């Protein structure tokens, strides 16, 4: 009987031991599964934390960008306002310059018209067919160039009778037009001259100019305030002085007929200074 009980006890213990091992194995398997899940959750958590930190940094960047954009928008609004004002001022400036240019063009047109009328009158009066008398325009100034042989004897500053006839025609035009002035320019060749009265060609050219000016004043009644006498000596030749023909060409007297258009030139100068801001 005892033997039977012992056998049953041993059998029960064996069965119990087998059941415990199986339970432990199951628990270990379950623990491993839970550990794997924990590890996976930890990885995911760390990933989420990293993403959260990145998003936080991005959010800070976005906030800064938003602040910058707001500031830029305000600056753009200011710049746009200033730009509109600048454009408006530029347009006003352009309008003013257009008006100034128009005034300048009107002044120059009037000057050209006066000059053209003067040239026509002089050519008609002195006769354009005389080869020893030339009438032309240079830079808006009318020039009457008279050959030396029509005015003076060689080395002399005494005006000939033929010269007075020509000067009378010029004087009539100038006298009839109070808005004109006359400048007389004497020119010589390069042949030296010296005598008790004349020291050099400077003296000769100036004295020839003053001789003509006196005739215009005394014989033809031109207001002396409208007259200018100047001598250029031998220093502005028209051609070479190496030949007799060349020297004869260079010996000449030029009468510059100058319209009194000071008001035009003053306006032009003023407008130009306004445009350059000086």
């Amino acid at each position: 009987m005892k033997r039977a009980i012992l056998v049953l006890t041993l059998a029960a213990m064996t069965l119990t031991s087998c059941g415990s091992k199986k339970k432990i194995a199951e628990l270990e398997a379950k623990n491993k599964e839970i550990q794997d899940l924990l590890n996976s959750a930890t990885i995911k958590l760390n990933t989420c934390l990293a993403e959260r930190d990145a998003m936080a940094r991005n959010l800070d960047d976005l906030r800064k960008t938003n602040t910058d954009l707001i500031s830029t928008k305000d600056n753009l609004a200011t710049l746009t306002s200033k730009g509109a004002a600048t454009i408006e001022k530029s347009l006003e400036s352009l309008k003013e310059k257009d008006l100034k240019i128009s005034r300048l063009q009107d002044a120059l047109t009037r000057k050209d018209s006066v000059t053209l009328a003067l040239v026509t009158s002089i050519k008609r009066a002195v006769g354009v067919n005389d080869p020893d008398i030339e009438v032309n325009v240079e830079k808006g100034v009318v020039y009457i160039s008279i050959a030396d042989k029509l005015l003076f004897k060689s080395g002399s500053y005494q005006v000939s009778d033929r010269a007075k006839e020509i000067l009378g025609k010029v004087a009539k035009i100038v006298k009839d037009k109070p808005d004109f002035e006359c400048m007389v320019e004497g020119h010589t060749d390069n042949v030296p001259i010296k005598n008790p009265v004349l020291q050099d060609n400077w003296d000769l050219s100036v004295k020839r100019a003053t001789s003509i000016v006196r005739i215009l004043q005394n014989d033809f009644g031109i207001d002396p305030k409208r007259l200018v006498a100047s001598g250029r000596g031998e220093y502005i030749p028209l051609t070479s002085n190496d030949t007799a023909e060349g020297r004869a060409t260079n010996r000449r007297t030029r009468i510059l007929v100058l319209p009194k258009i000071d008001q035009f030139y003053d306006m032009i100068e003023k407008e130009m200074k306004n445009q350059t801001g000086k």
Side-chain angles (χ1 to χ4, degrees):
M1 182 65 178
K2 290 181 179 179
R3 184 180 178 86
I5 293 171
L6 181 59
V7 171
L8 290 173
T9 302
L10 289 171
M13 290 179 64
T14 299
L15 289 172
T16 302
S17 177
C18 290
S20 297
K21 289 180 178 181
K22 183 177 180 181
K23 187 67 174 177
I24 290 171
E26 290 177 354
L27 291 173
E28 289 178 348
K30 188 68 174 177
N31 182 59
K32 185 176 182 304
E33 181 180 352
I34 292 172
Q35 189 64 44
D36 291 341
L37 290 174
L38 178 61
N39 291 338
S40 177
T42 301
I43 293 173
K44 289 182 178 180
L45 176 61
N46 291 334
T47 301
C48 289
L49 291 174
E51 290 178 351
R52 185 199 65 180
D53 293 341
M55 290 180 68
R57 288 193 297 272
N58 288 338
L59 181 60
D60 290 339
D61 291 341
L62 288 172
R63 285 173 177 165
K64 185 177 182 303
T65 300
N66 185 60
T67 301
D68 292 342
L69 287 173
I70 292 173
S71 177
T72 301
K73 182 194 72 173
D74 295 338
N75 291 336
L76 285 174
T78 302
L79 289 174
T80 301
S81 176
K82 290 181 179 179
T86 301
I87 291 173
E88 185 175 353
K89 288 181 180 178
S90 297
L91 290 174
E92 290 291 334
S93 178
L94 286 174
K95 289 179 181 178
E96 290 177 1
K97 287 185 177 180
D98 285 342
L99 181 59
K100 292 173 183 176
I101 291 172
S102 178
R103 289 174 178 171
L104 290 175
Q105 290 174 338
D106 289 343
L108 292 174
T109 299
R110 292 173 64 187
K111 182 179 83 67
D112 291 340
S113 297
V114 170
T115 301
L116 179 60
L118 176 62
V119 170
T120 303
S121 298
I122 293 175
K123 284 186 175 181
R124 186 184 301 114
V126 302
V128 294
N129 295 325
D130 192 330
D132 295 318
I133 302 174
E134 294 182 1
V135 180
N136 53 50
V137 179
E138 297 177 16
K139 298 180 180 179
V141 177
V142 179
Y143 292 86
I144 306 170
S145 183
I146 306 174
D148 180 70
K149 64 183 181 181
L150 296 181
L151 299 175
F152 308 99
K153 293 180 180 180
S154 178
S156 171
Y157 53 88
Q158 299 298 322
V159 180
S160 68
D161 292 336
R162 173 73 194 281
K164 291 182 180 180
E165 178 186 344
I166 296 171
L167 294 175
K169 295 177 181 180
V170 175
K172 185 177 185 304
I173 295 172
V174 176
K175 192 173 182 180
D176 290 344
K177 298 182 183 296
D179 291 333
F180 287 78
E181 294 179 339
C182 272
M183 176 163 54
V184 180
E185 269 187 4
H187 295 262
T188 70
D189 58 27
N190 67 342
V191 177
I193 184 172
K194 188 170 183 179
N195 56 47
V197 178
L198 302 173
Q199 182 175 344
D200 52 24
N201 282 325
W202 278 115
D203 277 353
L204 179 58
S205 65
V206 172
K207 283 188 174 297
R208 284 181 169 179
T210 53
S211 293
I212 292 176
V213 163
R214 288 191 187 97
I215 289 175
L216 293 174
Q217 175 185 352
N218 299 328
D219 293 14
F220 300 108
I222 302 296
D223 186 347
K225 290 185 292 185
R226 300 169 58 191
L227 298 171
V228 180
S230 67
R232 307 302 294 267
E234 64 197 68
Y235 300 104
I236 307 180
L238 294 177
T239 186
S240 172
N241 282 300
D242 294 338
T243 65
E245 291 79 7
R247 290 191 293 273
T249 299
N250 292 331
R251 294 192 302 270
R252 67 202 188 277
T253 297
R254 293 204 310 178
I255 300 176
L256 287 66
V257 184
L258 311 169
K260 280 189 175 180
I261 49 174
D262 293 342
Q263 64 272 28
F264 298 150
Y265 288 117
D266 289 344
M267 187 191 72
I268 289 172
E269 184 178 359
K270 181 180 178 180
E271 295 295 348
M272 294 302 293
K273 287 182 178 180
N274 288 338
Q275 290 189 30
T276 58
K278 296 180 181 180

